[in-house]
Amino acid sequence: MAEKVQISIDGRTVDLPTLVASEGANVVDVRGLIAEGIYTYDPGFLSTASCDSEITYIDGGAGILMYRGYPIEQLAKQSNHLEVCHLLLNGELPSPAEYDALVKSIADNQDVDEQYQQLFNGFSQGAHPMAMVGAAVSGLAALHHEDTDITVHEDRVKTAHRLIAKIPTIAAMAFRHGAGKSFIAPDPSLGYAENFLNMCFGDERDISPTIAKAMDRIFILHADHEQNASTSTVRMAGSTDCNPYAAISAGISALWGPAHGGANEAVLDMLNEIGDESKVEEYVAKAKDKDDPFKLMGFGHRVYKNFDPRAKVMEESCHEVLEELGAEDEPLLKLAKRLETIAREDDYFIERNLYPNIDFYSGITLQAVGIPTNLFTVIFTLGRMPGWISHWHEMLSAPYKIARPRQLYLGSNARDYVAIDQR
Ligand code: CMC
């Protein structure tokens, strides 16, 4: 039952209602405070629920991640990414007819405008792929500004389908441009992940079902993570009623940071730094040394304090891919396995619940598949697209306000301007 919270400030007492969550923590509704001239202070939003949402639920302590109530383990093992896209966007798993319609819509929207080739050619070959992908998604705003009415449900769904369909094409174009290779057109007869891999590697090799399945699983596992930094960025930008492609490209920028989407890249950087299996003990000792800033990348999690439910299913795919590619004996991957074994057996890691997280296994899998490390965050972008667009759609489907936080001002008090010759 909802309770009231009472706060007293400057001799006044204010009653605040609580709002009841369907799962997890209830929240104190502080909206009434503004009428009292009181603001709350919460840098980094650690104690703030910025919105209500029906899309994703996380219980970090219990290692639970659910999309629309479905546990991530079931979705990763039994569903596929396009089905999950429908689920996130619409709230329910698709019927067979709805699924067929989505597959057709995605196939119809995979191509990007021919002039996009020029956009990529405008970047140097060494440009970071996240910069190219952000620019290309932002550029879709130029193509779809007049024909997108964000107040119309059908236009929002059309926008979602366009973005989910085009992001693999854009991501593959960024990869091919960086590799100095010509683009490969999307093939609508292929599955979602298989088509992406084919646009990356189709001129060199066939895409095996094991690798396509692992990539699809990476997309599912990254598809949403409630109000993280990039999703909150999309909501904040979208709350200004800006063009949706612009709002999504703001989210892409936020994802790029190493504190958010860059961790799987950091795993590979760390493995390369360790360099040799014989050095593993030395680096584990560094990670345990309080005076050394080194940490084992791909271990631990801010939210999941017992285990990362995504890591368990990713571990399975990682081993399937390594086995199929016969890559288990590659030096870097042997090194990763050694690190994983030591960390799982060492008291320091056991006592602190530091187990390998999703980035550990997705980083190793992507490396084995031949994805360059600077494309890892692009793969995350591709997976997260349905989450971002579903949150944007959810926000616009109900009354909302422009996001406009206040601040605790600590600057100068009022003072008079001093002419430059008198300073
Ligand atoms: N290696 C060695 N020690 C660690 C590590 C690590 N990776 N992570 C945490 N610790 C230690 C930390 O030093 C502290 O020790 P003590 O209690 O003796 O002071 C203890 O474990 C608790 O750590 P914390 O810093 O309080 O934990 P946190 O919740 O603030 O940090 C984290 C979580 C993910 C930032 C951190 O574990 C970390 O930096 N991990 C490596 C980076 C990484 O893999 N990040 C990806 C996470 S998954 C991405 C996603 O979901 O989007």
Side-chain angles (χ1 to χ4, degrees):
M1 203 180 81
E3 289 171 19
K4 276 192 178 149
V5 170
Q6 245 182 13
I7 64 160
S8 296
I9 185 163
D10 297 337
R12 280 171 298 151
T13 301
V14 187
D15 283 335
L16 300 173
T18 55
L19 305 178
V20 180
S22 59
E23 294 267 6
N26 298 336
V27 301
V28 182
D29 182 350
V30 298
R31 284 175 294 179
L33 288 178
I34 185 76
E36 306 289 334
I38 301 167
Y39 304 138
T40 55
Y41 179 63
D42 186 22
F45 308 124
L46 270 74
S47 309
T48 296
S50 62
C51 61
D52 52 73
S53 179
E54 297 177 4
I55 300 175
T56 288
Y57 175 69
I58 300 172
D59 180 337
I64 292 172
L65 168 62
M66 301 189 299
Y67 297 160
R68 302 283 191 181
Y70 294 101
I72 192 67
E73 295 86 345
Q74 289 182 24
L75 293 171
K77 288 189 178 188
Q78 297 170 45
S79 184
N80 66 52
H81 185 61
L82 277 189
E83 221 185 37
V84 167
C85 290
H86 181 99
L87 174 68
L88 289 170
L89 194 61
N90 302 292
E92 297 297 335
L93 288 166
S95 66
E98 286 170 333
Y99 181 70
D100 290 348
L102 176 63
V103 170
K104 181 172 180 330
S105 173
I106 297 303
D108 290 348
N109 282 288
Q110 282 168 335
D111 279 318
V112 293
D113 194 273
E114 262 182 32
Q115 291 182 359
Y116 260 63
Q117 310 230 346
Q118 302 310 321
L119 189 143
F120 281 92
N121 291 338
F123 285 95
S124 70
Q125 196 180 328
H128 197 288
M130 279 300 276
M132 293 191 260
V133 168
V137 170
S138 181
L140 291 174
L143 297 174
H144 302 292
H145 193 59
E146 303 308 329
D147 66 354
T148 306
D149 183 345
I150 60 168
T151 65
V152 175
H153 179 275
E154 290 70 25
D155 275 20
R156 293 202 294 273
V157 172
K158 201 190 295 172
T159 301
H161 287 197
R162 273 195 199 123
L163 278 161
I164 292 164
K166 291 186 198 308
I167 191 65
T169 314
I170 288 171
M173 286 174 102
F175 167 67
R176 301 286 295 184
H177 182 74
K181 295 177 175 174
S182 57
F183 303 133
I184 299 175
D187 180 345
S189 72
L190 302 178
Y192 191 79
E194 190 184 7
N195 173 50
F196 167 64
L197 287 163
N198 189 59
M199 288 188 286
C200 291
F201 303 115
D203 56 342
E204 294 165 13
R205 51 178 145 120
D206 290 336
I207 309 304
S208 88
T210 309
I211 292 175
K213 183 180 138 204
M215 187 57 77
D216 200 65
R217 204 171 253 194
I218 289 177
F219 296 157
I220 293 174
L221 296 174
H222 285 90
D224 197 37
H225 219 223
E226 48 116 312
Q227 311 308 323
N228 55 83
S230 58
T231 301
S232 297
T233 301
V234 170
R235 279 186 179 260
M236 191 164 209
S239 77
T240 69
D241 294 344
C242 70
N243 182 291
Y245 303 96
I248 296 291
S249 89
I252 292 174
S253 301
L255 183 73
W256 191 357
H260 190 5
N264 50 13
E265 196 173 329
V267 171
L268 263 294
D269 290 345
M270 176 194 71
L271 293 177
N272 283 316
E273 185 188 326
I274 298 175
D276 189 84
E277 233 186 304
S278 64
K279 295 260 191 69
V280 168
E281 272 85 355
E282 184 191 319
Y283 274 86
V284 168
K286 272 163 74 66
K288 289 157 60 174
D289 181 355
K290 287 283 144 247
D291 298 325
D292 192 319
F294 177 79
K295 278 189 176 177
L296 285 190
M297 289 295 126
F299 286 78
H301 199 274
R302 170 55 60 81
V303 176
Y304 298 117
K305 288 303 180 195
N306 284 314
F307 65 95
D308 179 345
R310 304 165 303 170
K312 286 201 163 179
V313 263
M314 198 58 232
E315 178 184 5
E316 194 182 281
S317 284
C318 178
H319 290 301
E320 281 170 14
V321 166
L322 296 189
E323 198 182 321
E324 176 171 297
L325 294 174
E328 282 172 310
D329 289 333
E330 272 190 24
L332 205 67
L333 301 172
K334 274 176 84 175
L335 193 161
K337 285 181 98 176
R338 177 99 191 97
L339 195 64
E340 179 190 2
T341 309
I342 293 186
R344 279 185 189 278
E345 291 169 355
D346 190 301
D347 282 347
Y348 173 94
F349 295 91
I350 295 168
E351 280 160 15
R352 290 169 179 75
N353 284 321
L354 300 171
Y355 44 80
N357 58 43
I358 184 174
D359 290 312
F360 186 74
Y361 295 110
S362 63
I364 296 169
T365 309
L366 293 173
Q367 153 89 11
V369 168
I371 303 283
T373 45
N374 69 356
L375 208 77
F376 285 11
T377 318
V378 169
I379 304 288
F380 194 156
T381 303
L382 214 164
R384 185 54 55 87
M385 187 57 77
W388 287 330
I389 201 73
S390 299
H391 281 273
W392 171 80
H393 180 48
E394 181 182 66
M395 182 179 71
L396 268 69
S397 301
Y400 60 98
K401 291 194 180 304
I402 183 172
R404 177 47 171 103
R406 305 304 292 250
Q407 63 173 4
L408 169 66
Y409 177 68
L410 296 174
S412 294
N413 297 109
R415 50 185 170 161
D416 291 322
Y417 177 80
V418 179
I420 194 163
D421 58 349
Q422 289 166 37
R423 283 175 226 158

